[in-house]
Amino acid sequence: MGTPDSLDAGLDRARAQVNAHTRNEAAKAFVLVLSALFERQMRHWASFMFPPPRKPPVQTQGLEALLADCIAHAGIDGAKDSVAEVLIMGHNVANVVRHGDGKTSSMLRASAPQFWQSDPQLYVDINAGPSPDSALIVIPADYLLFYTRAGLRFWGRADRLSGAIEEPPI
């Protein structure tokens, strides 16, 4: 990135780096909240859709498998607009943010490397010392909207009442 021409230019660059880092940290928090909210709502819905005794129980089944079961049982098209794929990826992103490096981080890094590719002009890791891979995940600006839309589409398709909105106005 070179040496700044002046102290003001250096301070402007530092401000931009801190702002980009803060934006990314906020995006990580939003992914965590959206993922937790979707999972909680789906498990609650599934507990009424699949009465006990169900094996595996709704509360302990992995999210990906439970989502597939719910989609199949409710007759939802999970492939349309890649809704199921986006919801699973968002859940995986949230798990990497929540738990750090591990199996999910390695899997996501291989299947969705775009979360680790950032332009140094837009995002620089400002943490002291080397950061673990999971801390270097960058949530693109448009990803939150993409992920939110997938959740709203899912619930719109799951809603059997007239007037359900499958295409959210965002």
Side-chain angles (χ1 to χ4, degrees):
M1 293 191 8
T3 303
D5 296 333
S6 68
L7 178 60
D8 285 343
L11 291 173
D12 287 344
R13 181 183 298 162
R15 183 179 307 110
Q17 289 174 342
V18 169
N19 287 345
H21 187 80
T22 302
R23 186 219 56 87
N24 191 54
E25 289 301 307
K28 289 177 185 179
F30 280 115
V31 169
L32 278 169
V33 168
L34 291 171
S35 175
L37 181 62
F38 178 79
E39 182 175 2
R40 186 170 83 57
Q41 290 173 337
M42 189 179 65
R43 289 190 189 283
H44 185 73
W45 180 56
S47 69
F48 291 100
M49 196 166 31
F50 304 116
R54 180 177 190 272
K55 301 295 181 196
V58 165
Q59 296 306 321
T60 60
Q61 185 175 14
L63 183 101
E64 189 170 346
L66 181 59
L67 178 62
D69 288 351
C70 289
I71 285 172
H73 187 81
I76 297 170
D77 185 355
K80 183 179 175 189
D81 304 314
S82 303
V83 165
E85 181 181 336
V86 173
L87 291 171
I88 291 165
M89 182 181 293
H91 180 72
N92 289 336
V93 169
N95 276 341
V96 171
V97 170
R98 181 183 302 118
H99 300 295
D101 288 348
K103 185 177 76 171
T104 302
S105 179
S106 298
M107 182 275 305
L108 189 64
R109 193 166 174 113
S111 66
Q114 69 270 21
F115 289 107
W116 279 271
Q117 296 172 352
S118 63
D119 180 347
Q121 297 292 334
L122 302 175
Y123 182 82
V124 175
D125 179 28
I126 63 173
N127 291 314
S131 294
D133 282 347
S134 59
L136 298 175
I137 193 168
V138 177
I139 309 297
D142 59 346
Y143 183 73
L144 288 174
L145 182 60
F146 185 64
Y147 182 51
T148 301
R149 231 181 238 134
L152 293 172
R153 285 176 174 150
F154 175 85
W155 290 117
R157 292 171 191 167
D159 189 346
R160 297 296 182 225
L161 299 175
S162 64
I165 298 174
E166 285 191 34
E167 201 52 47
I170 61 167

